[in-house]
Amino acid sequence: MNAPAVEVTETAHRRGGGRLGRKALRSVPIASFPTLVRQIPAYQMVPDEAVELIHQESLAILEEVGCEFRDDGAIALWKAAGADVRETRVRIDRALLMELVSKVPSEFTLNARNPERTVRVGGKNSIFVPMYGAPYVRDLDNNRRYGSLADLNNFHKLAYMAPALHSSSSVICEPMEIAVPKRHLHIIHSALKHSDKPFMGIVTSKERAEDTMAMAGIVFGDEFVRDNPVLVAITNCNSPLVWDATMIDAMRVYASHNQPLILAPFALCGASTSASAVGAVAQVNAEALAGVALTQLIRPGSPQIYGQFMVTVDMKTGAPMGGTPEAAQMMYLMGALARRYKLPWRTSGFHVGSKLNDAQAGYEANMLMHAAILAGANYIWHSAGWLEAGLTCGYSKFATDCEQLVGWYKYAGGLPFDDFKEAMAAIREVGPQGHFLGTQHTLEHFESAFFMPSIMDFNSYEQWKAEGAKDHDTRGREKARNMLADYEEPKLDEGIADGLKDLIARREEKLPDSVS
Amino acid sequence: MADDEIILSELSDDELVQQMHDDLYDGLKEEIEEGTQILLERGWAPYKVLTEALVEGMRIVGEDFRDGILFVPEVLLSANAMKAGMFILRPLLAATGAPKQGKMVIGTVKGDIHDIGKNLVGMMMEGAGFDVIDLGINNAVEKYLDAIEQHQPDIIGMSALLTTTMPYMKVVIDTMKEKGIRDDYVVLVGGAPLNEEFGKAVGADAYCRDAAVAVETAKDFMKRKHNVRA
Ligand code: B12
């Protein structure tokens, strides 16, 4: 937090301070927290032998059943590496697999266009990333409708303003009014324009991935993005055990530029895995390791993010659930495996099935974020906005999540002992019966000692009622609205801004207006 | 659950049909095959076996699925039992010129590999007595056209889960229009990011939010088709 605002010092004949001064002090926006360096131990839910057992079973799956790689280039790479290849089925022996996996760095730097927002991923370093892929939004007036570019801009603005978010993601919601072949250009542009944090790449086709890299090149320099991570992209395994051509195309574009991919199967456990939490982990681990290994055939030593997005299936409908205890348990297992392989790993934090930012959403989100933190995840995705199993991004949910992340950031940051002595002095000062609200120690520390959320309401009943008896969902929307009103765009070099616009214009001329 | 001691052939027609409803509910494939044979041997018309024993039984299953009493794996078991009965009846139905239950070609559109929902719809449709031809994932318009020509279905089903692949449904429907065959078929669309409005905009006959609605809608269209012909 930097020196307070100019208005205080303007009037030279006054000492300053007072109401204005305090207001300025309190309203200085904290632009961004640095990488979260976890200072609490990772919790391992099962004994080492259990982790080892799952590991062995995963290796056995890849040796005996193998994994499909439905892409000629990938098949050629596997053949050259000496794997047992029959058509698109690749059986990988454990020595080859583990050798490839061991090439992945255990930590890497993810560069932001503003160096102050650059983060580390891996080891004790964790980052929070907002959601991805919502076709719908639950908007500021609480209506559910298809997302638009204006919504996407708004979410990128909110992501920029939220101190505990370390990335702008990319397609937080879909700008549905823009023609599909051109949409990716505007998604990436929005992320780069409205925020200066790291972002995510497009993977739905090779061409779109290449456009993403071209845009990154304009912002960071073509030279720079050939070797230095500036974005993260998600490639999904089609569980069970299939890596398809679309995903492998994207993998090639990004991995060859040393840009990290997330190799973290999104499994609907019970539908795309067996109906066993442990069995599902063994399968997903095999799929993730196979994906990680392929990236090392494309570019050895490239940074990658291993992991999982495992949800259980609602056996009443087949739909994905959120916030179940098994989802949390599976996170702990994957975390233990990630540490065994010394790989940075991804999970999801505040992802829920709820339609609204309501009690269901709160319980679900908390169950999973607690596990993500204690399991020691490095790339904690879907940490803002997510509703309805990813079909909707909610403004209220987004604002709530951002605020709660500040709390989790603190939680994972560990317990500070630096003022312990002063605290002990304060108890001597007050003695029995008194109170601490006026002590020097309290005055010095109250602002940072305890998490102070603003959307949560702790007022008296009467006060709450006088303020309109608003429920949490309403307060969340108000918070989002207020944040957007205060938004100021981060600086972007004019040459870069023009360069991006030129590229978009050039590409738009070439690209068709509809899918065919 | 069915009592082990029961001998199906000793039951009266009414009792047997009731028992078959229970057996469908419990997903007992062999019992359904046996029950179907017995009714046929007793001189029941294949169409009567289909509607009164099987379709009616699956109607009950569908209802309890909708109400959250039965779960997906159980319903799949029921659908499988139903399919086994259908397998016996199909040639007989064709031979007797009974009204067709309906045939559906279903597939996920080009660029999209999501198939969990589509598979569920396919299985529920089979469970309701429809013939289902599943084209799998990532289907270009030619695949649909080939399947239409080859299988002469009543219904075309398209699934898409990506906002980037949803518009492809319109490509398929527009091509059908160009070829002048659009109105010969009922087109149903589905997938979580779709909605009613989108279904209308691309020119589908209906959007179905889930497998149960898909079955109801398909049955409805078949009924109308039969009425038109009658
Ligand atoms: C499981 C899943 C996957 C699995 C798919 C596994 C499989 N074999 O299908 C995997 C991990 C492979 C996957 C991959 C991707 N996915 Co995905 N996926 C999902 C998820 C979580 C659930 C879908 C599902 O199976 N639901 C359960 C079934 C039972 O429901 P359903 O499909 O809706 O089907 C029901 C109805 O819709 C209807 N229905 C469906 N089809 C039909 C057809 C007819 C004819 C009828 C009548 C009815 C009907 O009946 C069904 C049964 O009740 C959704 C999110 C969501 N909540 O839907 C994202 C989601 C659809 N995926 C998404 C994305 C982005 C992707 C990827 C691009 C991610 C990536 N970067 O890798 C890739 C795309 C790959 C590709 N080329 O297609 C986005 C899409 C949104 C968008 N912006 O376009 C979503 C919304 C998630 C998100 N927020 O990111 N995905």
Side-chain angles (χ1 to χ4, degrees):
Chain A
M1 258 175 283
N2 294 324
V6 197
E7 24 195 358
V8 190
T9 44
E10 252 172 7
T11 36
H13 59 276
R14 272 179 51 184
R15 199 167 43 242
R19 184 189 194 184
L20 257 185
R22 191 73 51 89
K23 196 173 162 205
L25 192 69
R26 297 256 157 90
S27 67
V28 173
I30 308 164
S32 198
F33 294 164
T35 305
L36 165 62
V37 184
R38 277 176 291 106
Q39 302 290 351
I40 56 175
Y43 177 64
Q44 190 173 309
M45 192 168 256
V46 295
D48 287 342
E49 301 81 71
V51 177
E52 192 55 28
L53 177 69
I54 294 172
H55 164 70
Q56 294 297 337
E57 287 299 326
S58 301
L59 298 188
I61 291 172
L62 289 178
E63 283 175 341
E64 291 161 24
V65 185
C67 186
E68 288 278 321
F69 288 88
R70 298 187 175 155
D71 175 273
D72 295 343
I75 287 300
L77 285 172
W78 279 118
K79 275 190 184 151
D84 168 5
V85 180
R86 285 171 239 170
E87 293 182 14
T88 49
R89 183 74 64 89
V90 180
R91 292 178 176 79
I92 314 164
D93 80 49
R94 56 192 66 203
L96 173 62
L97 181 81
M98 293 320 293
E99 187 209 317
L100 290 169
V101 168
S102 71
K103 293 183 197 292
V104 179
S106 58
E107 287 185 22
F108 65 90
T109 297
L110 179 60
N111 294 281
R113 76 169 170 87
N114 174 355
E116 283 174 29
R117 313 272 180 271
T118 290
V119 289
R120 289 283 289 172
V121 179
K124 284 189 173 307
N125 304 299
S126 297
I127 64 170
F128 294 118
V129 182
M131 78 163 291
Y132 184 98
Y136 292 96
V137 298
R138 183 158 284 278
D139 70 15
L140 288 166
D141 299 316
N142 203 16
N143 296 315
R144 182 186 190 262
R145 53 172 175 77
Y146 276 138
S148 68
L149 185 60
D151 291 308
L152 182 61
N153 293 342
N154 280 342
F155 287 124
H156 285 143
K157 292 175 185 177
L158 292 173
Y160 167 66
M161 295 177 85
L165 281 177
H166 296 101
S167 162
S168 318
S169 182
S170 63
V171 56
I172 297 178
C173 72
E174 285 277 342
M176 293 287 279
E177 76 274 31
I178 302 177
V180 166
K182 301 175 175 177
R183 202 180 277 171
H184 62 291
L185 300 166
H186 297 276
I187 293 169
I188 298 300
H189 183 240
S190 175
L192 289 169
K193 176 178 155 73
H194 297 104
S195 172
D196 58 4
K197 297 181 181 182
F199 68 107
M200 295 190 69
I202 303 285
V203 294
T204 44
S205 78
K206 174 166 174 274
E207 207 180 25
R208 294 176 197 157
E210 282 165 348
D211 283 338
T212 307
M213 280 317 301
M215 293 176 82
I218 290 171
V219 175
F220 293 88
D222 287 330
E223 192 73 27
F224 190 80
V225 301
R226 230 164 271 154
D227 299 311
N228 299 287
V230 300
L231 61 82
V232 171
I234 169 74
T235 48
N236 267 316
C237 176
N238 190 358
S239 305
L241 298 163
V242 179
W243 285 97
D244 69 27
T246 313
M247 294 293 116
I248 295 173
D249 270 342
M251 240 185 235
R252 254 190 305 264
V253 174
Y254 291 118
S256 63
H257 283 85
N258 221 33
Q259 304 301 317
L261 293 149
I262 297 176
L263 297 308
F266 185 171
L268 261 57
C269 299
S272 40
T273 73
S274 59
S276 143
V278 191
V281 170
Q283 175 193 322
V284 162
N285 182 40
E287 295 166 340
L289 290 177
V292 168
L294 177 62
T295 63
Q296 299 308 297
L297 290 174
I298 297 168
R299 180 161 173 167
S302 55
Q304 304 299 342
I305 302 173
Y306 153 97
Q308 59 103 25
F309 187 3
M310 298 165 85
V311 296
T312 51
V313 139
D314 177 7
M315 289 293 178
K316 282 191 221 147
T317 59
M321 303 169 85
T324 57
E326 300 80 14
Q329 289 172 320
M330 293 187 286
M331 272 193 220
Y332 288 108
L333 294 179
M334 288 299 284
L337 287 161
R339 279 186 293 282
R340 188 189 187 291
Y341 307 133
K342 298 192 172 55
L343 290 172
W345 73 285
R346 166 267 166 133
T347 190
S348 305
F350 286 145
H351 65 100
V352 305
S354 188
K355 312 289 175 289
L356 300 171
N357 189 21
D358 59 1
Q360 180 183 336
Y363 279 113
E364 288 185 281
N366 218 49
M367 166 70 86
L368 298 175
M369 185 57 86
H370 207 156
I373 295 288
L374 288 187
N378 302 111
Y379 195 93
I380 308 180
W381 199 7
H382 303 322
S383 287
W386 182 283
L387 290 170
E388 282 183 54
L391 291 175
T392 297
C393 184
Y395 280 86
S396 177
K397 175 77 164 32
F398 202 101
T400 302
D401 288 342
C402 289
E403 183 167 281
Q404 287 299 307
L405 286 177
V406 174
W408 284 109
Y409 187 93
K410 194 166 185 206
Y411 183 93
L415 279 165
F417 273 71
D418 46 3
D419 66 336
F420 190 40
K421 259 200 178 139
E422 298 161 55
M424 291 302 95
I427 194 171
R428 290 188 170 78
E429 182 188 326
V430 174
Q433 273 248 344
H435 69 76
F436 290 78
L437 292 171
T439 64
Q440 188 58 27
H441 178 262
T442 302
L443 207 56
E444 275 168 20
H445 292 277
F446 81 94
E447 273 183 299
S448 61
F450 306 129
F451 175 49
M452 292 202 279
S454 66
I455 307 176
M456 299 291 206
D457 180 279
F458 305 101
N459 283 329
S460 69
Y461 171 75
E462 289 76 10
Q463 179 69 25
W464 170 77
K465 197 167 173 228
E467 287 175 9
K470 291 170 191 154
D471 63 5
H472 184 90
D473 192 24
T474 309
R475 297 195 301 272
R477 271 181 281 119
E478 281 178 3
K479 171 81 182 200
R481 208 186 282 275
N482 292 339
M483 282 174 79
L484 288 168
D486 287 343
Y487 170 79
E488 280 173 40
E489 200 167 295
K491 275 204 273 309
L492 179 64
D493 179 274
E494 244 173 67
I496 292 176
D498 291 344
L500 287 172
K501 279 187 200 137
D502 285 353
L503 182 121
I504 294 171
R506 259 185 292 125
R507 291 293 293 140
E508 285 206 315
E509 236 167 70
K510 291 225 177 75
L511 293 168
D513 268 316
S514 57
V515 296
S516 60
Chain B
M1 286 283 150
D3 186 13
D4 287 342
E5 301 302 311
I6 275 183
I7 297 170
L8 292 177
S9 58
E10 288 173 1
L11 299 178
S12 72
D13 282 10
D14 273 358
E15 281 171 332
L16 178 55
V17 167
Q18 287 304 321
Q19 186 58 50
M20 284 175 73
H21 292 171
D22 284 351
D23 289 350
L24 269 177
Y25 199 94
D26 296 330
L28 303 176
K29 182 168 166 242
E30 279 159 30
E31 285 74 359
I32 290 299
E33 285 168 342
E34 194 188 337
T36 304
Q37 295 288 13
I38 295 169
L39 287 175
L40 289 170
E41 279 157 22
R42 290 184 190 172
W44 278 47
Y47 187 66
K48 189 171 151 93
V49 181
L50 173 69
T51 48
E52 290 179 24
L54 299 186
V55 173
E56 174 59 14
M58 285 305 286
R59 189 191 58 78
I60 301 166
V61 169
E63 243 177 54
D64 279 8
F65 178 50
R66 184 197 61 206
D67 294 344
I69 298 163
L70 281 178
F71 295 93
V72 173
E74 297 169 322
V75 173
L76 294 186
L77 215 57
S78 300
N80 253 336
M82 165 79 181
K83 247 174 92 178
M86 263 313 272
F87 186 77
I88 298 170
L89 293 178
R90 194 172 294 124
L92 305 174
L93 286 166
T96 52
K100 281 203 303 180
Q101 198 66 14
K103 196 189 262 188
M104 180 190 217
V105 160
I106 190 170
T108 302
V109 299
K110 186 175 148 188
D112 205 321
I113 54 97
H114 293 84
D115 65 358
I116 297 173
K118 181 229 10 145
N119 293 347
L120 225 94
V121 173
M123 289 183 272
M124 291 291 285
M125 291 289 292
E126 283 186 327
F130 284 80
D131 272 339
V132 175
I133 293 106
D134 186 345
L135 304 180
I137 55 175
N138 198 11
N139 285 290
V141 57
E142 297 78 30
K143 289 268 196 59
Y144 289 99
L145 295 178
D146 289 352
I148 288 172
E149 208 179 298
Q150 191 189 337
H151 300 287
Q152 294 298 317
D154 305 286
I155 301 168
I156 316 296
M158 288 189 277
S159 183
L161 268 284
L162 296 173
T163 51
T164 48
T165 59
M166 285 157 52
Y168 196 78
M169 294 177 161
K170 187 160 185 308
V171 174
V172 176
I173 294 174
D174 286 351
T175 313
M176 288 174 73
K177 281 185 189 154
E178 275 163 33
K179 303 221 173 277
I181 57 169
R182 167 65 188 87
D183 294 337
D184 303 342
Y185 305 95
V186 169
V187 178
L188 303 184
V189 295
L194 277 67
N195 56 32
E196 198 87 43
E197 221 182 322
F198 180 86
K200 282 207 185 95
V202 296
D205 290 297
Y207 153 80
C208 308
R209 68 167 180 274
D210 59 34
V213 174
V215 168
E216 284 317 306
T217 312
K219 278 186 178 167
D220 243 41
F221 277 111
M222 287 310 293
K223 217 181 279 167
R224 276 190 241 171
K225 195 167 174 175
H226 292 149
N227 288 344
V228 170
R229 289 214 181 123

